[in-house]
Amino acid sequence: MEDRSQMTEEQRQYYQKIMTTFSSMKLINFSNNRDSVIHTFTKDDLKRNLQNISSLPNQKNLRKISRFLYLSSPHYRSLINYYSTLYNFDYLVEGYGTNPDGIDIKKYKRSYIKAVDGYEQMGIKFESIQLRANTYIDGVFYGYARRTKNGFYIQHLDPDHCQVSFINPETGLYGYSFDFSIFTSNEKLLESYPEEFTLQYRNYKSKKGSSQWVRIDSPNAICIKPTTGRHPIPPMVGLFEGILDIYDFKALAKGKEEIGNYQLLFQQIPMKDGKDSNIDDFLISEDFVKMFHDNISSSLPEQVGLLTTPMKIEAIKFERDSLDKNKVAEATSQYWNEAGISELLFGNSNSSTALKLSITADESSLSTIVTEFEKWINEYGKVNFKGPFNFKVRILHTTKFNVKEYFDMRLKAAQYGIPVKNEIVAILGLSPSAAYLNSFLENDVLEMHNKLIPLMSSHTTALDGSEVSGRPKKDVGERTDNGDKTIENDSNE
């Protein structure tokens, strides 16, 4: 056998050709293929951005991660949708700051109807949908109310161009500043913004060296945060690492399953032996080797790999190991626990012991958004719906889980004369105007109370003209002992 250092130039070229041939053969690739959109960011990226949440670039990156997760993670999307749709946003319009003694009822009614029309034009329920969803995805909602004679909507502003900059000392509401430098390179963007932004931009442009961040101090500006923290970051940011754990365990389980189903075939290249043989001396040419390798490889299924080598190797099969398939379930369960909500809501548990208490806690944690939005609506109404009497919106804390309990409580209160009829109407999903307009239509116009008469029965009418209604009494012989006791004790009275 010759040493490689003693090869001739011709032998070296032959050796290089052989090595090039083997290098070009595609063998099995065990590299970890992380093609999921979840892996657009890593845990290190997350930790680095969380180290300084006062930094605007870091806040922007965390919002970007939150948006990625909302699109790519069903767990995160379900959580955001659950929180953002939990409250029904049922509301009523009620008066305040008015002494009822000596009020002109007709004048008060006209003022009430005008206020109701103004608040209903705002589309409170509809506008709250985008507000709630964006607040939980981005950790803050920046908007500007745009009202016309026949319409109203809240324009959502990109949080990358806004920052919380002050708290209104009179209302306690958050205020924001806007980055007007975005219009410098493209002033046509101003056409998509309110007129106030055009005026502010002209003022910013005329003052050279002034800050690009201009305070939007207007009753039309709205800024809502889901938490009381100073810096606006996604409120579910603490769950991002848990989401990555779920997908890591899924990838690990998938990799183990694939390896368990994999088989590797080995074909050995024959080599010369004996005294006359040289180093790297094959019995067949490299072209012949490559031809057979490619032909066999092209006919194999994906689960079977082919290895061509001059060394002796036994056939390899990756035996399926006992996999701990509960790891994904455990990571998912831990995710819901860290989120503070019951996994039973998403079909991941067989126990409902703490479900009601969990939902109650969720309802309490969401009250901040409801209170902040209600406060902004009423501040907006003070400016835009002025009248001789004061009216405000009150958003009920009804959710899709407590609405029946809420309704029953108000119904019992109404039986004792407590003025909660408007609340009952709101709980049923009717707007304030529908309450009085439907009553007027049914009672005064259509007179439905005189036309829709219940069928006569023993349950609705008295017997023989007497004042006693209900089921006829049985004779003494037909009654049971329990029936006699009921009569003696007047239990049905």
Side-chain angles (χ1 to χ4, degrees):
M1 297 287 288
E2 295 182 1
D3 187 82
R4 189 172 298 164
S5 61
Q6 299 176 353
M7 286 182 178
T8 64
E9 183 61 30
E10 183 180 356
Q11 289 174 328
R12 285 195 183 94
Q13 291 179 1
Y14 175 74
Y15 174 78
Q16 291 296 331
K17 188 176 181 181
I18 289 290
M19 291 300 101
T20 302
T21 300
F22 282 121
S23 298
S24 65
M25 294 181 183
K26 293 182 179 180
L27 303 181
I28 181 173
N29 180 16
F30 288 110
S31 62
N32 187 15
N33 182 20
R34 307 188 109 189
D35 56 354
S36 172
V37 70
I38 288 292
H39 293 102
T40 304
F41 68 96
T42 65
K43 292 181 181 180
D44 290 336
D45 296 332
L46 178 61
K47 292 175 181 177
R48 185 167 52 253
N49 288 307
L50 284 173
Q51 285 178 352
N52 183 15
I53 59 175
S54 63
S55 166
L56 292 180
N58 285 1
Q59 293 175 15
K60 181 178 180 180
N61 289 335
L62 291 174
R63 287 194 296 268
K64 186 177 180 181
I65 293 174
S66 180
R67 294 167 189 170
F68 269 126
L69 290 178
Y70 185 78
L71 295 175
S72 58
S73 169
H75 299 90
Y76 189 66
R77 184 166 55 252
S78 296
L79 183 64
I80 295 296
N81 291 343
Y82 166 73
Y83 273 117
S84 60
T85 61
L86 182 59
Y87 271 79
N88 296 336
F89 271 70
D90 300 320
Y91 73 94
L92 64 149
V93 178
E94 58 188 10
Y96 72 98
T98 302
N99 187 349
D101 296 337
I103 282 184
D104 186 331
I105 295 179
K106 291 184 177 180
K107 188 176 180 180
Y108 190 82
K109 182 179 180 180
R110 285 195 300 268
S111 182
Y112 171 76
I113 293 176
K114 184 178 179 180
V116 166
D117 291 342
Y119 285 119
E120 288 191 3
Q121 186 188 37
M122 294 178 67
I124 293 173
K125 281 193 175 185
F126 177 80
E127 292 298 331
S128 72
I129 295 175
Q130 66 149 342
L131 182 147
R132 287 178 276 173
N134 283 288
T135 299
Y136 276 100
I137 294 174
D138 295 330
V140 65
F141 178 86
Y142 301 103
Y144 195 94
R146 305 189 68 171
R147 183 185 178 213
T148 62
K149 183 178 180 181
N150 299 315
F152 176 94
Y153 77 97
I154 298 177
Q155 181 176 353
H156 177 222
L157 303 179
D158 190 339
D160 292 347
H161 304 146
C162 306
Q163 62 174 323
V164 179
S165 56
F166 67 97
I167 297 178
N168 191 311
E170 296 181 359
T171 64
L173 293 170
Y174 290 106
Y176 63 89
S177 296
F178 189 85
D179 181 9
F180 278 83
S181 65
I182 67 169
F183 303 120
T184 304
S185 58
N186 186 8
E187 294 188 357
K188 287 187 178 181
L189 287 175
L190 287 166
E191 297 175 1
S192 303
Y193 287 81
E195 182 63 27
E196 180 183 343
F197 280 63
T198 301
L199 299 176
Q200 291 278 21
Y201 175 69
R202 290 173 183 170
N203 187 42
Y204 155 75
K205 196 175 179 181
S206 63
K207 296 180 180 179
K208 294 183 179 181
S210 60
S211 173
Q212 67 195 58
W213 294 100
V214 180
R215 177 168 162 165
I216 308 299
D217 197 359
S218 168
N220 297 324
I222 175 173
C223 177
I224 302 292
K225 287 170 71 271
T227 61
T228 56
R230 179 180 178 185
H231 304 294
I233 60 174
M236 309 299 176
V237 69
L239 302 175
F240 291 177
E241 188 171 349
I243 295 174
L244 288 180
D245 287 340
I246 293 174
Y247 280 85
D248 284 344
F249 281 122
K250 282 186 175 180
L252 184 62
K254 182 180 179 182
K256 286 184 177 180
E257 288 288 349
E258 289 178 349
I259 292 176
N261 293 323
Y262 210 95
Q263 188 173 12
L264 184 62
L265 297 182
F266 159 66
Q267 62 175 357
Q268 185 177 8
I269 304 172
M271 300 187 70
K272 293 181 181 179
D273 54 8
K275 296 180 180 180
D276 298 332
S277 63
N278 298 319
I279 190 171
D280 301 330
D281 199 358
F282 298 99
L283 284 174
I284 57 177
S285 68
E286 70 275 9
D287 293 334
F288 208 59
V289 171
K290 190 174 188 306
M291 180 186 71
F292 273 96
H293 178 92
D294 292 343
N295 288 341
I296 297 174
S297 179
S298 63
S299 62
L300 293 177
E302 291 184 358
Q303 292 80 9
V304 180
L306 177 65
L307 181 64
T308 302
T309 174
M311 284 77 73
K312 290 184 178 180
I313 304 177
E314 295 181 0
I316 302 171
K317 184 176 181 181
F318 297 92
E319 298 294 340
R320 185 175 303 177
D321 195 2
S322 57
L323 303 176
D324 187 0
K325 296 183 179 180
N326 291 328
K327 289 297 182 182
V328 176
E330 289 176 5
T332 304
S333 180
Q334 183 178 353
Y335 167 81
W336 295 123
N337 289 334
E338 291 175 353
I341 64 177
S342 174
E343 59 181 333
L344 181 62
L345 292 168
F346 303 97
N348 296 327
S349 177
N350 296 321
S351 174
S352 58
T353 305
L355 177 59
K356 186 174 181 180
L357 292 176
S358 174
I359 294 174
T360 302
D362 299 336
E363 293 167 350
S364 300
S365 66
L366 290 170
S367 61
T368 301
I369 292 181
V370 179
T371 304
E372 290 288 314
F373 190 43
E374 177 187 277
K375 187 184 294 186
W376 178 83
I377 290 172
N378 289 320
E379 292 301 322
Y380 179 86
K382 288 179 183 178
V383 177
N384 294 277
F385 308 139
K386 292 181 179 179
F389 301 101
N390 298 321
F391 295 96
K392 66 177 182 180
V393 165
R394 178 158 62 91
I395 299 176
L396 303 179
H397 286 222
T398 51
T399 70
K400 51 191 175 185
F401 296 105
N402 72 2
V403 62
K404 185 179 184 304
E405 180 181 350
Y406 211 93
F407 179 82
D408 292 341
M409 185 182 297
R410 267 57 186 177
L411 198 60
K412 290 180 180 179
Q415 293 173 355
Y416 289 93
I418 306 299
V420 291
K421 293 185 179 65
N422 282 332
E423 291 190 36
I424 294 175
V425 169
I427 295 170
L428 292 174
L430 298 175
S431 64
S433 64
Y436 61 79
L437 288 178
N438 286 349
S439 298
F440 171 72
L441 178 64
E442 292 183 4
N443 298 328
D444 298 336
V445 178
L446 302 178
E447 297 183 348
M448 296 177 71
H449 60 290
N450 294 326
K451 298 176 181 178
L452 298 180
I453 303 173
L455 295 174
M456 298 294 184
S457 71
S458 60
H459 298 284
T460 59
T461 59
L463 297 175
D464 301 328
S466 65
E467 295 181 358
V468 181
S469 60
R471 180 180 176 180
K473 292 183 178 180
K474 291 183 179 181
D475 294 332
V476 176
E478 298 176 342
R479 293 196 298 264
T480 63
D481 293 339
N482 290 334
D484 291 332
K485 290 181 180 179
T486 300
I487 295 176
E488 293 174 0
N489 298 329
D490 292 332
S491 301
N492 284 333
E493 296 297 328

